[in-house]
Amino acid sequence: MARPSRTNVLIGIDRAQRIYDEDHNNRRPYIMLERRKMHSWDDFDFFSRFRMTKARFVHVLHLIVPYMPEVHQRQRYISHEVQLLCTLRFLAAGSMQSIVGDIIGVSQPTISNLLPKVCKAVLGLLPDIVRMPRTQEELRTAAALFYMFGNLPRVIGAIDCTHIKIQSPGGPNAEIFRNRKGYFSLNVQTVAAANLKIMNIVTRWQGSAHDSTIFRSSALWQQFEAGEFRHYILVGDPGYANSPFLATPFAENSSELRAGLQHVQEYQRAIIATRNCVERSYGVLKRRFPALAYGLRVKTSTAQMLVATAAVLHNICFDENEQLPNTPPGFTSNEIEINSGATEDTPNSNYGRNVRNELLDMFRRQVNTHTNHLP
C-alpha cells in the first residue's frame, strides 16, 4: 500500500484543524451561576421555600456535618450549607432538579450527584431520631398518651403504609412497583406516636407489596416476637391480620358489627380513634415536604433515601416545636392514599384473635358496669 504524500497529510491536518475550530467556536460558553446561601432570603421566604426556620436549618446542618462529603463542581467547592439547601428545596418543591439548581446556583448534574450523599448524611441520625420506645418508662408514657384517644390500653404505636409516587424504575422488574391504582410507587410503612412523630419507617418495598407482608418481613415484627416491647401492642387498619401484638378493627361487613353489640361498637370506635394519628402523621409529613405527595422523579434508590430523610427531618422539627408550613397550592395529602385491601391470614391469626377478644372482654365489662349503675 502506497504511503500518503506529504501534501495529502498536510491537507488532512488542515481539514481537522478547521473542523476543531468550527466546533470550538460553536460550543456554548459555560455560565458560572451565582451561589445563593441562607442569608440570601429573609426569614419568611426561607421558611416558605425550605420548610423550616433558619435556626432549625443551622441545627440540622450542625448535626450532619460530620457525615457530609466534599462535593465539587468544575473545581468549585460546594459548601455543606448549599448541599443541604438543595436537598431541602427538592423535598419542598418536588420540581425538576434543574429548577432547584437554578434557584440555588448549581447545575442539574450536581443536584443529582449530591442528593444521595446528603441523604446518607441525614440518615446517619436515623437510629437516634426515628426510634421506638424501649425503656419501661418510655413504654409507659407512650401507652398513656394513646390511652387518651380511645381508652385502649397497652398501645404504643399506630402502624400503616402510604404510597409515595415515583417514576418508572425501568428494567424487567419495573411492573412490581405499579400499585393497585395503576401508577408506580413505594409502599412505605411507618409507626406513628401519639404526637405524630415517626418511630419506625421501612421504605424498601415496591408499590404492589401488601401492607401485612411488609410488616411480617420487617425487623419490627421480629422485635415484637422476641418480646422486646413486653406486653405492649400496636394498632392498625383492617389491611393487617391480627397478631399477638397488633390489634385491628373489624371489617365493615363482619358479623360482629352486624350484630350491633355495644361492646363491639365501643371497641371499633376505640381502635379507629387510636390509629387516627398515623393517618394525620402522613398529612403533616407530606405538607411539610410536598415532594412526597407530588412524586419523586429520581432513581428508586434515591427516592427511598429521600423518604427516610424526610422522616428524620420531620421528627427534628417536631422535637423543636417547629410550626407547620402553609399548604402549597393544589396540595391534597391523601391524593395517593390507597386501601391495602383484604386482610391476609397469618400463622398466629388465632392467637391474634385471642388478643382482640381480651380487649373486647374489657369493653364488655365496662359496658356492663355502666349499665349496672344506671338508675
Side-chain angles (χ1 to χ4, degrees), residues 84-120:
L84 183 56
L85 284 174
C86 292
T87 305
L88 288 177
R89 182 56 189 162
F90 184 79
L91 284 171
S95 57
M96 306 296 288
Q97 295 177 17
S98 57
I99 298 176
V100 175
D102 290 342
I103 293 173
I104 299 174
V106 297
S107 65
Q108 181 275 323
T110 302
I111 296 285
S112 180
N113 180 42
L114 65 83
L115 277 178
K117 295 179 179 179
V118 176
C119 287
K120 288 179 182 177

Side-chain angles (χ1 to χ4, degrees), residues 131-133 142 145-146 149 155-159 190-200 234 274-281 314-315 318:
R131 57 183 292 273
M132 295 288 292
L145 291 174
F146 271 104
F149 288 113
V155 176
I156 60 170
I159 189 171
T190 65
V191 176
N195 62 357
L196 308 188
K197 283 183 62 176
I198 295 173
M199 300 187 295
N200 183 270
L234 301 174
T274 304
R275 67 167 299 276
N276 178 258
C277 62
V278 69
E279 298 287 354
R280 290 162 52 214
S281 72
H314 165 86
N315 280 6
F318 257 94

Side-chain angles (χ1 to χ4, degrees), residues 84-370:
L84 183 56
L85 284 174
C86 292
T87 305
L88 288 177
R89 182 56 189 162
F90 184 79
L91 284 171
S95 57
M96 306 296 288
Q97 295 177 17
S98 57
I99 298 176
V100 175
D102 290 342
I103 293 173
I104 299 174
V106 297
S107 65
Q108 181 275 323
T110 302
I111 296 285
S112 180
N113 180 42
L114 65 83
L115 277 178
K117 295 179 179 179
V118 176
C119 287
K120 288 179 182 177
V122 175
L123 294 180
L125 308 174
L126 188 141
D128 297 323
I129 294 178
V130 180
R131 57 183 292 273
M132 295 288 292
R134 288 300 179 86
T135 67
Q136 185 62 40
E137 183 62 29
E138 290 175 341
L139 291 167
R140 200 163 28 233
T141 300
L145 291 174
F146 271 104
Y147 188 81
M148 296 170 62
F149 288 113
N151 295 335
L152 204 62
R154 299 162 43 200
V155 176
I156 60 170
I159 189 171
D160 202 0
C161 289
T162 184
H163 285 260
I164 305 297
K165 188 176 182 180
I166 61 172
Q167 64 184 10
S168 172
N173 297 322
E175 285 302 312
I176 65 175
F177 286 87
R178 192 184 296 276
N179 60 38
R180 292 170 54 248
K181 288 295 182 85
Y183 60 82
F184 297 98
S185 69
L186 299 173
N187 197 7
V188 177
Q189 173 186 284
T190 65
V191 176
N195 62 357
L196 308 188
K197 283 183 62 176
I198 295 173
M199 300 187 295
N200 183 270
I201 184 167
V202 179
T203 65
R204 65 185 178 90
W205 286 86
Q206 64 274 11
S208 62
H210 194 282
D211 292 4
S212 190
T213 300
I214 297 173
F215 181 44
R216 292 203 311 271
S217 303
S218 67
L220 185 64
W221 172 281
Q222 297 175 4
Q223 291 169 346
F224 268 101
E225 280 201 323
E228 292 187 21
F229 301 103
R230 301 175 177 85
H231 64 287
Y232 293 95
I233 62 174
L234 301 174
V235 291
D237 63 18
Y240 293 96
N242 280 294
S243 74
F245 36 79
L246 177 61
T248 63
F250 290 102
E252 293 183 1
N253 59 348
S254 64
S255 58
E256 290 86 352
L257 285 182
R258 290 200 303 268
L261 298 176
Q262 185 177 353
H263 70 281
V264 173
Q265 295 174 353
E266 290 293 334
Y267 167 83
Q268 191 81 348
R269 279 194 291 269
I271 285 282
I272 293 173
T274 304
R275 67 167 299 276
N276 178 258
C277 62
V278 69
E279 298 287 354
R280 290 162 52 214
S281 72
Y282 292 145
V284 171
L285 178 66
K286 294 178 181 180
R287 179 175 167 184
R288 186 176 296 280
F289 300 114
L292 304 186
Y294 298 147
L296 298 172
R297 289 178 286 238
V298 293
K299 292 191 300 185
T300 303
S301 58
T302 304
Q304 292 168 339
M305 288 191 291
L306 281 167
V307 176
T309 296
V312 173
L313 298 174
H314 165 86
N315 280 6
I316 291 175
C317 292
F318 257 94
D319 286 338
E320 303 298 333
N321 295 319
E322 192 90 344
Q323 71 179 86
L324 196 61
N326 293 328
T327 304
F331 171 83
T332 52
S333 63
N334 62 347
E335 61 186 351
I336 54 177
E337 294 299 318
I338 296 178
N339 190 337
S340 299
T343 301
E344 296 180 349
D345 291 330
T346 69
N348 288 328
S349 59
N350 289 331
Y351 185 20
R353 281 193 286 270
N354 290 339
V355 172
R356 176 195 273 174
N357 289 337
E358 290 179 9
L359 295 174
L360 285 171
D361 288 340
M362 182 197 72
F363 281 100
R364 183 186 294 109
R365 290 193 298 270
Q366 291 178 356
V367 170
N368 292 339
T369 300
H370 177 72

